[in-house]
Every structure is written in C-alpha cells, then in structure tokens.
C-alpha cells in the first residue's frame, strides 16, 4: 500500500498540470494572478512541509495510534471500514479540522504555525501548496476525538489526505460563484474570503470541505463583489526565505513574551488572539497601524532574465530531488533521511536567498554542491563525493570570477592584486580537497591548506592594520595552544608535530587578523569574514581530533559542514566589503593623532 508521502508524489504532476492550466486561463483572460518568485516561494514552503512531515508524522500518527489503541471508547473497526463508516469518518475529520483551523486564527501559538499558509499576496493554486512545517506540533490535539471514537489510524490517515487534497482546487480567482454549491461546500468564492485581510472578511470561512460548519457556528461570510479581496497577512512577510516564513510569528511571540513585565502576560501572549500584545510591550515596541492600501502593493524584488531561468531550473531540480526523497523516506534509516533532508533544505534556502538578491547564483551552487559533498562523504558514496567535493570550490572560483567581471566597469571594482590573492586561496583549497580525498596524501593536503590560509592572511591584511586587536589575538592564541596540546597528548605522530604546529599557528593568525580587521571596519561583511575564519578553526580542529585523537560520530558531516560554511562566509563577506571603494585605514598612531586633533578643534 502506498504511504501518504508516495500519494503526494503521484499527485504532484496533477498539481502542476492544474497550475499550468490556471496560469494559461489567467493569461487568456488578461487576469494573471501569478508572480514567479511568489509561486516558487509558496511551492518551496509546500516542499518543506512535506519533507519535514517525514519526521513529524511519527508524532501525529504515533499519538493518534496510541490513543486509538488504548483509550478508544468504542471498538468498531468493521463499521469504520464500511462505506458509511468512511463517509462518517470524512465528515468527522472535517468537523475536527474546522475547529483546528478556527483556533489557528484565534490562538497566537496556533496562528504562528498556520500563518505560513496566508503569507502570499497572490491567490492561486500554488498558494494551496503553501503549508506550514510546524502545524503538527499541536495540531494533533484536535483529532483526538476521532481516536477516542475508535476511528482506525488507517481510516484517519486516508480521510485526512482526502480532506487536504480537496482544498487544493479552492485556491483560485479564476472560478466565480457556484450557486447552491457555495451554500454547502467550501468553494473558491468562500475560501477567497478566508484568505482576505479586509476588515469585512477577516477570520471567516474556516471549513475544509463543508462550509456548513461556518454557517452553524457563526463564522460564515459571503464574498462581496463590491469589496475585492486583498490577500496576505496583517504584517507582510516581504521575504522568500522558507525558514523565516515558518519562524517569524514565533519570533514575534517570543519577543513580546520576553519583554512583558507581568508573568501572566508572558503566557497570555501565546494564548490570546493574533495581534494581542501586553500594554507595556505595545508601548515600548509600537507597530504601525494596519493599512489595506499598503497590502495592495505586491512585494516583488526585481529579477533579471538570467535569475528567473536559474530559479526555474533550480526549482525543477528541487522537485525531482524531493520526489525521490519522499518516495523512499518511509523505508530509509532515520540518519539517511536527516542527511538528505539537510541537502534539500540547503537548496531551498539558497534558492530563496538568490531570488531575493541576498546571494548570487554561483554562491548558491557552491553551497548546494557543498551539501552534496558532505552527504556523499557521510554515506560513503565515493563516486558522488569525488565529483561534488572539487566541484564546490570550482563554483567558489566562478563566484569570484563573475563578481570581479560584474564590478570591472564600476567605481567599486575589486583591486586586481587582492583578486589574485583570493583566487590563490580558493585554488589551494581546491588542491587540498583533492589531496585529502585519497589515502597517503595527507601531507600535500596539509601544505595546500597551509598556503590557502597564508593567502587569506594576505587578503585580510590588504584593508586593515596588522593584528590590531590584541584581545582577539590573545584569545585565539590561547585556543590554538590548547588545541595543539590536545593533539600532542592525544597521540600526534612525531613526524607531524612541526608541520601541524606550523598549520595551527597560521590558521590562528588568520582568525586573529580577521577579528582585528572587523574591529577596524565594523560592518556586517567584516563580521561574516571573522566568523568564517573562526569556523575554519573549528573545522580543522574537528578534522585533527578525528584523525589523531579519537574518531568522532558523524565526523565527515561536522568537518565538511563547517569547512564549506567557513569558505562561503569568508568569500561572500570579503566580496561584499571589497565592492566598496577601498581606502586603507590609518595606523593606530595616526588614528590617535586624528582623535586628539578633532578633540582640540571641538574645544575651540
């Protein structure tokens, strides 16, 4: 029997065909409701919802099965497996869903999960697939009545899937009013009202399949042709980041709870309706009033034609990878699922960051390739690892080259000498990666990375004084000495003591110079570089401990994740800072004289 994840995989082509049909209809009617980045963002969140459900369904179905098996008030599996039983179970599920959905709009912590589905300012079939990844944490509570009534877990899972799939088609503006159907069932007109932020429509029409529940419990509102729906949430997301989309309301609740002075308010923040804030918090951290006209302006950062093609192709690759993951997830070991989930999540985040202009396509490819290199190493997939490990640094070199070319005719072009030094650091890193993939080449690999760190030191010296921050130097030196002592005592071979000592000294100098540079430049880009240098120290420490002291669990994952993160932070941070016109900072003595001069001038 197919698992729910496999059913979703089989349904995916149908979803995309219907999305294509809706897009074509909108094009013909000159009433287009799609924007590429928004649609990809919604679908991206749907992917995350399904891949994360591989892990959370153990919570939801596990609790349901336990309650149904040990606490059911009635045991009547024969009835529930009959046609009347299936129909009653579907209605029962839809009734429970109504209350989950309604409480998702009336309780802050439940809204934090459900808000994801409402964040899009477009309303189309891609919005239907925009689902939360955290709803399962508390949503299972609302289905316990079905477990207590003895509805078998299989029946519960199937009717839940039917209820979910039904709701796909109601997310469209291309279908108008449907007469009698609208009076009984959730239809596009009814659900458009539910997604609107207009005062007249707010928090209405919660039904999943039946709109009857809304009519019974006073939450029904028909669509008014004189009041066009405006979509989104009150407080626009303005981001394509799938992680931020899932976390943003939780962050706001945590912020208000933390800053509330009264203990009761700290709890009420999570249980009160969305938007409720303690008076003291609202006074100290005011928010602008809701403006419907502001919400009519669609968030759409500009995207070049090349970026649009890149995003579309990336998304196709993501769907293919997700389908493979979901198809085999129920039979795969948990550790394997976690690793491949990490790869998919990396692709999702980098795709969103590229669409938003936070990173470039080549950096996105570098991070994605690094994730694949990490997983193939952890799972001993040597053929894939031998491709993706060197390919990652090739993408880094291409990122550097493209950035240099784009800046060639601007005032903020990169200094040629420093570009060559940066390229040297990446080339030596590429050589080190190649050597360390094979046994017997540890020393050549060590030398290659030593030279890479020397290049990074020269790069970071180019726009900052030499080791100006003494506290950073002392702290990092202390860490380096401790690490070397650990390696020495742990069994570092005598022949490697001097080479490893030189390596530890060089990488410590690199990290100290990075933090000294940040103490002078004081900007987010220099902080990225400093953090990257520190993460590089961590990566090398994990590698050395695993090799010379004792094997570490998941060593390949820890070493490679930190290594690629370090390379990306240093490269991206340096390119961000170096894009500005370079001006060599004054020496500390000159800075002191300048301060004294300005102080004297102020006195006069």
């Amino acid at each position: 029997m197919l698992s729910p994840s496999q059913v979703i995989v089989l349904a995916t082509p149908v979803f995309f065909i219907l999305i294509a049909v809706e897009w074509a209809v909108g094009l013909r009617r000159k009433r287009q409701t799609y924007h590429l980045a928004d649609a990809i963002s919604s679908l991206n969140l749907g992917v995350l919802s399904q891949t994360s459900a591989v892990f959370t369904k153990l919570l939801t179905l596990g609790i349901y099965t336990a309650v149904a098996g040990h606490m059911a008030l009635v045991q009547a599996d024969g009835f529930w497996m009959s046609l009347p039983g299936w129909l009653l179970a579907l209605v029962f599920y839809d009734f429970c869903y109504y209350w989950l959905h309604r409480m998702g709009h009336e309780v802050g912590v439940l809204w934090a999960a459900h808000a994801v589905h409402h964040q899009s300012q477009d309303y189309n079939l891609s919005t239907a697939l925009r689902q939360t990844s955290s709803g399962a944490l508390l949503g299972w509570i609302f289905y316990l009545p079905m477990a207590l009534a003895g509805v078998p877990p299989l029946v519960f899972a199937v009717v839940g899937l039917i209820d979910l799939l039904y709701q796909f088609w109601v997310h469209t503006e291309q279908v108008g009013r449907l007469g009698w159907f609208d009076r009984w069932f959730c239809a596009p007109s009814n659900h458009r009202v539910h997604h609107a932020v207009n005062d007249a429509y707010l928090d209405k029409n919660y039904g999943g399949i039946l709109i009857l529940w809304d009519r019974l419990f006073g939450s029904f509102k028909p669509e008014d042709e004189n009041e066009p729906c405006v979509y989104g949430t009150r407080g626009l997301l303005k981001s394509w980041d799938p992680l931020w989309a899932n976390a943003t309301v939780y962050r706001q609740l945590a912020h208000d709870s933390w800053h509330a002075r009264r203990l009761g308010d700290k709890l009420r923040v999570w249980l009160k309706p969305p938007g409720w804030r303690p008076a003291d918090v609202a006074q100290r951290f005011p928010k602008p009033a809701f403006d419907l006209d502001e919400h009519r302006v669609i968030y759409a950062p500009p995207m070049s034609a090349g970026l649009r093609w890149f995003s579309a192709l990336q998304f196709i690759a993501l769907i293919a990878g997700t389908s493979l993951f979901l198809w085999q997830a129920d039979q795969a070991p948990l550790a394997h699922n976690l690793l491949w989930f990490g790869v998919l999540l990396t692709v999702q985040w980098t795709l969103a960051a590229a669409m938003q202009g936070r990173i470039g396509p080549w950096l996105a490819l570098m991070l994605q390739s690094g994730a694949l290199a990490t997983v193939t190493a952890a799972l001993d997939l040597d053929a894939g690892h031998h491709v993706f490990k060197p390919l990652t640094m090739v993408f880094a070199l291409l990122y550097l080259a493209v950035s240099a070319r784009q800046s060639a005719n601007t005032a903020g072009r990169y200094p040629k000498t420093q570009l060559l030094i940066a390229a040297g650091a990446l080339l030596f890193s590429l050589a080190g990666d190649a050597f360390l993939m094979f046994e017997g080449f540890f020393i050549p690999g060590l030398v290659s990375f030593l030279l890479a760190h020397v290049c990074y030191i020269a790069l970071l010296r180019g726009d900052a004084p030499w080791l100006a921050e003494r506290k950073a130097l002392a702290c990092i030196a202390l860490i380096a000495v401790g690490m070397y002592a650990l390696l020495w005592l742990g069994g570092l071979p005598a022949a490697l003591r001097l080479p490893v000592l030189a390596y530890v000294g060089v990488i410590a100098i690199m990290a100290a110079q990075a933090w000294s540079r940040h103490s002078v430049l004081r900007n987010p880009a220099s902080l990225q570089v400093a953090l990257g240098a520190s993460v590089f120290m961590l990566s090398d420490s994990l590698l050395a401990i695993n090799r010379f002291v004792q094997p570490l669990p998941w060593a390949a994952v820890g070493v490679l994740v930190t290594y690629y993160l370090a390379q990306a932070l240093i490269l991206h941070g340096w390119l961000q800072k170096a894009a500005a016109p370079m001006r060599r900072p004054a020496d500390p003595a000159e800075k002191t004289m300048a301060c004294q001069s300005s102080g004297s001038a102020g006195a006069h």
Side-chain angles (χ1 to χ4, degrees):
M1 182 175 179
L2 294 175
S3 69
S5 295
Q6 290 174 327
V7 172
I8 293 296
V9 171
L10 294 177
T12 297
V14 178
F15 293 153
F16 282 107
I17 290 171
L18 292 175
I19 287 172
V21 170
E22 183 192 29
W23 177 82
V25 169
L27 196 65
R28 182 176 180 179
R29 293 178 175 177
K30 297 182 179 180
R31 187 186 175 190
Q32 192 53 264
T33 60
Y34 279 90
H35 296 87
L36 178 65
D38 183 88
I40 289 178
S41 177
S42 291
L43 296 170
N44 208 6
L45 283 158
V47 166
L48 181 57
S49 174
Q50 289 300 315
T51 54
S52 62
V54 167
F55 311 101
T56 59
K57 70 182 179 184
L58 297 175
L59 171 70
T60 54
L61 281 178
I63 292 175
Y64 184 93
T65 301
V67 173
H70 298 92
M71 301 176 63
L73 303 178
V74 179
Q75 294 290 344
D77 287 5
F79 167 74
W80 291 113
M81 297 298 290
S82 67
L83 179 59
W86 279 99
L87 292 175
L88 179 59
L90 181 59
V91 174
F92 197 170
Y93 184 97
D94 200 57
F95 176 76
C96 294
Y97 172 82
Y98 169 85
W99 287 107
L100 167 61
H101 198 181
R102 181 165 180 167
M103 291 301 102
H105 285 254
E106 296 182 4
V107 177
V109 68
L110 297 178
W111 170 248
H114 182 60
V116 174
H117 182 60
H118 285 262
Q119 289 162 344
S120 174
Q121 291 179 272
D122 289 338
Y123 188 77
N124 51 52
L125 293 178
S126 73
T127 310
L129 302 178
R130 185 187 186 101
Q131 297 292 329
T132 177
S133 297
S134 62
L137 298 179
L138 294 173
W140 57 270
I141 296 171
F142 290 84
Y143 297 106
L144 290 182
M146 295 185 70
L148 293 174
V151 179
L154 174 63
V155 176
F156 168 74
V158 171
V159 297
L161 189 60
I162 293 171
D163 203 274
L164 178 66
L165 292 174
Y166 172 88
Q167 294 176 55
F168 175 75
W169 80 281
V170 302
H171 292 80
T172 182
E173 292 191 75
Q174 304 299 343
V175 176
R177 303 290 291 272
L178 298 177
W180 68 268
F181 191 87
D182 288 348
R183 292 193 294 273
W184 294 91
F185 295 95
C186 179
S189 176
N190 294 329
H191 206 63
R192 285 194 290 270
V193 167
H194 175 71
H195 273 257
V197 293
N198 313 54
D199 287 336
Y201 296 148
L202 200 62
D203 297 335
K204 301 294 183 182
N205 298 1
Y206 299 108
I209 293 178
L210 297 173
I211 205 69
L212 174 66
W213 312 123
D214 292 281
R215 293 181 178 275
L216 288 175
F217 300 112
S219 56
F220 177 73
K221 176 71 178 180
E223 186 178 20
D224 185 349
E225 294 180 357
N226 298 318
E227 178 76 21
C229 294
V230 179
Y231 304 108
T233 53
R234 294 197 166 193
L236 295 173
L237 179 64
K238 294 186 177 181
S239 174
W240 306 136
D241 187 336
L243 299 179
W244 179 241
N246 276 281
T248 180
V249 179
Y250 289 109
R251 189 211 68 83
Q252 183 62 56
L253 292 174
H255 171 275
D256 288 357
S257 179
W258 177 263
H259 288 283
R261 293 193 177 97
R262 298 175 58 190
L263 183 60
D265 284 343
K266 291 180 180 293
L267 178 61
R268 276 189 283 271
V269 162
W270 301 90
L271 302 179
K272 285 282 190 176
W276 182 88
R277 308 180 77 199
D280 59 311
V281 175
Q283 183 177 12
R284 282 189 291 161
F285 305 98
K287 287 185 175 182
F290 170 70
D291 184 348
L292 187 63
D293 289 332
E294 179 186 346
H295 283 63
R296 297 181 197 275
V297 179
I298 302 297
Y299 173 74
M303 296 175 66
S304 65
L307 181 56
R308 293 170 70 86
W309 275 105
F310 172 81
S311 302
L313 292 173
Q314 282 266 294
F315 184 71
I316 292 172
L318 174 64
I319 291 298
T322 301
S323 298
L324 289 173
F325 173 78
L326 292 176
W327 191 261
Q328 56 77 45
D330 290 335
Q331 291 78 40
L334 176 61
H336 289 203
N337 282 341
L338 286 171
L339 289 170
W340 288 115
F341 175 74
V343 172
L344 293 172
L345 190 59
T346 300
V347 175
Q348 291 183 268
W349 184 87
T350 52
L351 169 58
M355 289 196 303
Q356 204 162 332
R358 295 168 61 189
I359 64 174
W362 291 110
L363 179 57
L365 289 170
M366 173 192 171
L367 293 170
Q368 293 166 14
S369 181
L372 287 166
T374 301
V375 171
T376 50
L379 299 180
D380 295 322
L381 302 174
D382 291 342
H385 184 63
H386 291 167
V387 172
F388 291 114
K389 191 173 186 184
L391 184 61
T392 302
M393 297 316 296
V394 170
F395 283 138
L397 284 162
L398 289 169
Y399 174 42
L400 178 67
V402 170
S403 299
R405 181 179 179 183
Q406 291 174 344
S407 71
N409 299 318
T410 67
R413 62 180 177 272
Y414 305 114
K416 185 176 181 180
T417 302
Q418 293 197 359
L419 281 172
L420 292 174
I421 294 172
L426 297 177
L427 284 169
F428 282 123
S429 296
L430 174 58
D433 286 341
F435 283 127
L436 292 183
M437 284 193 298
F438 303 99
E439 290 295 330
F441 289 90
F442 180 76
I443 294 298
L446 188 70
V447 172
S448 297
F449 280 115
L450 184 69
L451 294 173
H453 293 319
V454 169
C455 288
Y456 276 133
I457 291 171
L459 187 67
L460 303 180
R461 176 68 180 89
D463 57 354
W466 179 245
L467 298 175
E469 181 54 57
R470 302 302 179 186
K471 291 181 180 179
L473 177 60
C475 181
I476 291 171
L478 185 62
I479 294 172
V481 169
M483 177 52 59
Y484 188 72
L486 177 63
L487 296 176
W488 182 295
L489 297 174
L492 183 66
L496 292 177
R497 288 172 183 172
L498 283 178
V500 171
L501 177 61
Y503 188 90
V504 170
V506 168
I507 194 171
I509 291 172
M510 182 187 77
Q513 178 59 22
W515 283 105
S516 295
R517 178 176 178 267
H518 175 59
S519 71
V520 174
L521 301 180
R522 291 290 179 184
N523 57 51
S526 65
L527 178 60
Q528 276 190 45
V529 173
L531 290 172
S534 300
V535 175
F536 227 136
M537 283 190 71
L538 174 61
S539 180
D540 286 331
S541 299
L542 292 173
L543 175 64
I545 292 171
N546 183 69
R547 189 178 185 92
F548 299 119
V549 180
Q550 65 176 19
L552 298 174
W554 289 43
V557 175
V559 170
L560 290 176
V561 165
T562 51
Y563 169 65
Y564 291 125
L565 178 60
Q567 293 279 20
L569 285 170
I570 293 174
L571 182 58
H572 184 252
W574 181 79
L575 286 172
Q576 293 294 105
K577 170 61 181 69
M582 305 299 294
R583 184 169 64 88
R584 187 180 181 82
D587 290 335
E590 294 175 352
K591 290 169 68 179
T592 301
M593 292 176 63
C595 290
Q596 291 173 345
S597 174
S598 63
S600 299
H604 291 306

